Amino acid sequence: MNSPRKHSLIAFFLFVASAILAQQPLFIPEELPPPQALECGKPEERPEVIRYLHEVVRNMPVERNTGTTCVPLKIHIVRQSNGTGGISLTDVNRAIANLNYYFFEAGTPMEFYLCDPIQYIDNSAWYDFDPMEEAALCDPNDVNNAMNLYFVDQICVMAGNNCNIAGYAYFPFNSIQSTRSVLRNDQMVLYANGTFVHELGHNFSLEHTHTGTEDGPNDPDAERVVRTPPDANCTTRSDNLCDTDADPRYDPANFNLATCTYTGNQTDDQGNVYTPPVDNIMSYYPDQCGGIFTAGQLTQLGQGLSTRQGHTAYTLDCPAATVSNPSGLTATVSNNYTIQLNWTDNANNETGYLIERSTTSASAGFRALKFGGTGPDATTFEDKNLLANTDYWYRVKASNDDCNDYSNVVQINSGRLYCIPLVQSNNCTQNNGVGIGIGRFTIDDGSNTLLDNDNDACNGPLSVYSSTHTAAVTAGATYNYTIELLSSNGGTTGSYSPQNYAIWMDANQDGDFDDAGELLVQSNLNPCEGIVLTGTFTVPAGSQAGTTTLRVRTRSCANGVVSSPCAYYSFGEAEDYGLNVSVAQPVSWLSFAARQKEEAVELSWATATEVNAAYFAVERSRDGYSFEEIGRRQAAGYSLSRQDYDYFDSTPPAGLLYYRLRQVDEDGQYTYSPVRVVHFVPEYAVLRAYPNPSDGTLTFELPVGVQGLWFALYDARGSLLRRAVLPERKGHLSGLLPGVYLLQVQTTGREYVQKVVVY
């Protein structure tokens, strides 16, 4: 049995000096220093709670439901004594939407709803809260049939001092206190993967990825870097997970925030340099570096839920309110940048609305939208987190209604959609009387002016001229451009603000500027001067024919180069223009489809004609943005009749998968198909060992379609006990003495590991 994990009380009261979590606003102005970093205030748990976590919760079997388990949240909002302040219901619902998004993939999928009514607690002393006040605040206000969430303005180590705690929560235990989270208002919706999801992760049994390891490589609970026996200890140390790398804990001195990379050289007790999980929700690494739960953590979330469902000190059965569903839900594409939802509010008792979206069908595949929540009485919502040319289905529900009670479903195709750049200033705030933006933009082919927009204005972070200013261009051809910066005289004389700039083109018409070759021009002026900026750009030879978008963006030279078409800048402007691209099309598409077929994903497509077509590269993505090639099919080359193709992705990972085809010509030019989405649910995704815990006899089983090579059994110290050939999917063990074991099964190209407990 492991020694109790250390959630150091000293660390709890001194964490302000460490400035660990770095939960900063979504976009930090370059001229302004970042705000003080905040961190999780997870308190030291009692030894019996830690033993319970590792001996009971971690051995709880998890059965994945066909649907979701509805979990009630009791919201307690602390305000000033005069009733002012407190988190808004809009932010509460946006935070709940983020929670539903991430807990959807838990071992037992969870969906949260609000236990009526919202409780308001008007007490200025608790508004700026310190943990010593927890009993006074929570004991009389906790409910015994839901998770209790308290929202306060500040959380301080002691009254009025060191107010640097973002939130804290308790592990599962058979006590009302274990249902509590205390959360700081201004940390709830900075990032979808931020404080709120982190703290509820604790509530459902997740530990920090740096547990134990943060206390040095020689700590009894420190985790080693190596992940395979006999030297690995990842199944019995830190968070008991081998798919969260050993973590010495975030230190800004050993981290590059610009690239989200660990730069330290700290080592474990074997001298191996750490490669910590900088993108894990349960780490302390900055939220802007992304946030995920691993497969092992998702299983542990399910164990946490199963444990709580068996407790007797409280229940999770708070009844939902009866709320009239919204009706008349409609969806429209707004200016190629957002999808606008509108509905009729038929209720007068809703606490807000939650928006869910599917890319599968009107009856399956729905999942909460990140930040997809509104306050009460809302009738509209804008979805900006979109893929181009994708079919979407939407539905809306009240957050305090039954979690499976919805509005009508509406379907829409997104078409081509582009990101909206963000800047600190509104309307290109003047710098010494001169706007930082674009006054005029032209394109010519050396003989003729193809586009000329002399707007001499500053219209905010993005001006869209694609419907009024479009240039006809040819793939592979080169053109001249001119950018005139805004000036005090409204022309090419007078004072101006020096600016760098970049030009992008959506060459494959997929609704972004992120693909290889789509950055056409990027300046790095030295010296940074010139009110008239000129140069040339070449339309990528592989551009898709038709109308697409050219983006021109500037920023103050003092802040560096223009490296992103979308990211936050302090000052600058972007302008979008239309391009009508001519190119010889090598392939005429008829269809492209993707679907799960048993333990694989089947892709099928057809072409009507092909001219000089070399091959089709099959590409897959986990997030819809970063694609990798997983296979190829030879094209017919030249054909005037229908050609049918298929490809089987035989090793797809579980979850949402995005597929597209890159059709490559004989000369290397290429075009992309539309994106297709599959929610892949394997019959078994892991090695199963059952019964677990056992009395000394158990069966272990590989996923369907996986053939074993050999298996090995290790004790808790990593000593090899048994090793044998495994010619089948299944194996059996018997005669095991009480203890904790590690079962390792090797297959062709993959290794499976499972902890086994014998009582």
Side-chain angles (χ1 to χ4, degrees), residues 4 26 75 210 212 323 380 490 740 755:
L26 185 56
I75 305 299
H210 51 260
V323 181
T380 186
V740 178
K755 183 170 70 174

Side-chain angles (χ1 to χ4, degrees), residues 517-579:
E518 292 191 335
L519 175 59
L520 306 184
V521 179
Q522 184 182 50
S523 76
N524 189 7
L525 300 176
N526 186 19
C528 196
E529 59 185 28
I531 192 171
V532 179
L533 310 170
T534 61
T536 63
F537 68 82
T538 300
V539 178
S543 298
Q544 187 167 321
T547 300
T548 190
T549 296
L550 186 83
R551 173 161 294 181
V552 186
R553 191 177 189 193
T554 68
R555 80 187 293 192
S556 172
C557 265
N559 295 332
V561 300
V562 181
S563 58
S564 170
C566 308
Y568 172 90
Y569 290 147
S570 296
F571 300 103
E573 184 189 17
E575 294 184 348
D576 282 1
Y577 294 93
L579 290 182

Side-chain angles (χ1 to χ4, degrees), residues 309-476:
Q309 289 172 323
H311 286 161
T312 57
Y314 61 90
T315 63
L316 295 177
D317 59 0
C318 176
T322 301
V323 181
S324 297
N325 289 333
S327 61
L329 178 63
T330 62
T332 55
V333 176
S334 177
N335 297 322
N336 281 342
Y337 295 95
T338 63
I339 287 180
Q340 178 86 28
L341 301 178
N342 292 280
W343 63 87
T344 299
D345 177 12
N346 297 314
N348 58 13
N349 64 332
E350 80 279 1
T351 54
Y353 289 109
L354 301 175
I355 290 84
E356 296 185 352
R357 188 180 73 185
S358 170
T359 55
T360 302
S361 71
S363 58
F366 280 95
R367 188 172 183 178
L369 280 179
K370 293 179 182 178
F371 298 107
T374 77
D377 302 322
T379 59
T380 186
F381 179 84
E382 279 193 344
D383 184 6
K384 299 179 181 179
N385 184 20
L386 300 161
L387 294 175
N389 304 311
T390 302
D391 287 327
Y392 291 107
W393 289 262
Y394 293 91
R395 64 190 186 189
V396 180
K397 66 181 181 182
S399 57
N400 58 326
D401 197 358
D402 184 287
C403 72
N404 294 311
D405 203 9
Y406 309 98
S407 69
N408 61 295
V409 174
V410 64
Q411 178 185 6
I412 190 171
N413 186 278
S414 59
R416 193 180 309 144
L417 292 151
Y418 296 99
C419 62
I420 300 175
L422 297 177
V423 295
Q424 174 183 327
S425 61
N426 292 321
N427 299 320
C428 307
T429 295
Q430 303 291 301
N431 181 17
N432 296 324
V434 182
I436 300 179
I438 303 167
R440 184 177 187 178
F441 180 68
T442 69
I443 299 174
D444 69 76
D445 62 5
S447 301
N448 303 295
T449 299
L450 306 180
L451 184 152
D452 186 350
N453 182 26
D454 185 3
N455 60 344
D456 196 28
C458 196
N459 299 319
L462 176 66
S463 299
V464 180
Y465 297 110
S466 53
S467 62
T468 56
H469 292 80
T470 299
V473 297
T474 302

Side-chain angles (χ1 to χ4, degrees), residues 75 77 87-94 118 120 351 374-376:
I75 305 299
I77 298 177
I87 192 171
S88 70
L89 289 184
T90 297
D91 281 355
V92 168
N93 283 286
R94 295 177 74 204
I118 301 290
Y120 290 95
T351 54
T374 77

Side-chain angles (χ1 to χ4, degrees), residues 481-722:
Y481 65 84
T482 299
I483 300 172
E484 293 181 8
L485 303 179
L486 292 177
S487 75
S488 59
N489 291 344
T492 59
T493 62
S495 59
Y496 66 97
S497 295
Q499 296 165 60
N500 269 313
Y501 64 93
I503 302 175
W504 288 266
M505 172 188 169
D506 181 15
N508 61 1
Q509 300 184 31
D510 66 346
D512 62 47
F513 306 101
D514 302 332
D515 300 288
E518 292 191 335
L519 175 59
L520 306 184
V521 179
Q522 184 182 50
S523 76
N524 189 7
L525 300 176
N526 186 19
C528 196
E529 59 185 28
I531 192 171
V532 179
L533 310 170
T534 61
T536 63
F537 68 82
T538 300
V539 178
S543 298
Q544 187 167 321
T547 300
T548 190
T549 296
L550 186 83
R551 173 161 294 181
V552 186
R553 191 177 189 193
T554 68
R555 80 187 293 192
S556 172
C557 265
N559 295 332
V561 300
V562 181
S563 58
S564 170
C566 308
Y568 172 90
Y569 290 147
S570 296
F571 300 103
E573 184 189 17
E575 294 184 348
D576 282 1
Y577 294 93
L579 290 182
N580 191 359
V581 183
S582 298
V583 61
Q585 287 290 332
V587 165
S588 175
W589 298 90
L590 284 177
S591 64
F592 174 41
R595 68 185 182 95
Q596 179 172 348
K597 188 172 184 180
E598 297 178 348
E599 293 300 299
V601 173
E602 179 186 28
L603 308 176
S604 59
W605 65 96
T607 63
T609 60
E610 297 182 22
V611 178
N612 295 324
Y615 63 87
F616 300 92
V618 180
E619 297 183 350
R620 184 180 70 199
S621 170
R622 296 299 305 273
D623 59 11
Y625 298 98
S626 300
F627 284 84
E628 62 175 350
E629 182 177 327
I630 60 172
R632 293 186 179 185
R633 284 287 180 265
Q634 194 70 25
Y638 181 84
S639 172
L640 298 179
S641 60
R642 178 186 176 106
Q643 299 291 322
D644 291 285
Y645 301 88
D646 62 22
Y647 179 87
F648 283 85
D649 183 2
S650 59
T651 58
L656 285 177
L657 303 176
Y658 302 82
Y659 293 91
R660 71 182 183 188
L661 303 173
R662 179 166 54 90
Q663 186 278 309
V664 182
D665 301 348
E666 296 289 356
D667 60 3
Q669 298 186 36
Y670 59 87
T671 59
Y672 287 101
S673 71
V675 174
R676 297 291 182 256
V677 183
V678 174
H679 186 197
F680 182 75
V681 181
E683 181 178 351
Y684 298 115
V686 296
L687 174 68
R688 299 176 66 230
Y690 53 91
N692 190 10
S694 81
D695 59 1
T697 300
L698 59 86
T699 298
F700 56 93
E701 182 177 353
L702 287 164
V704 173
V706 177
Q707 185 67 45
L709 295 177
W710 52 264
F711 77 91
L713 185 70
Y714 300 84
D715 63 18
R717 299 177 182 177
S719 300
L720 179 64
L721 302 179
R722 300 184 192 181

Side-chain angles (χ1 to χ4, degrees), residues 38 103 119 183 189 227 239 317 324 360 471 624 638 690 704:
L38 305 182
F103 278 62
Q119 182 185 24
L183 304 155
V189 290
R227 315 316 275 172
D239 58 2
D317 59 0
S324 297
T360 302
Y638 181 84
Y690 53 91
V704 173

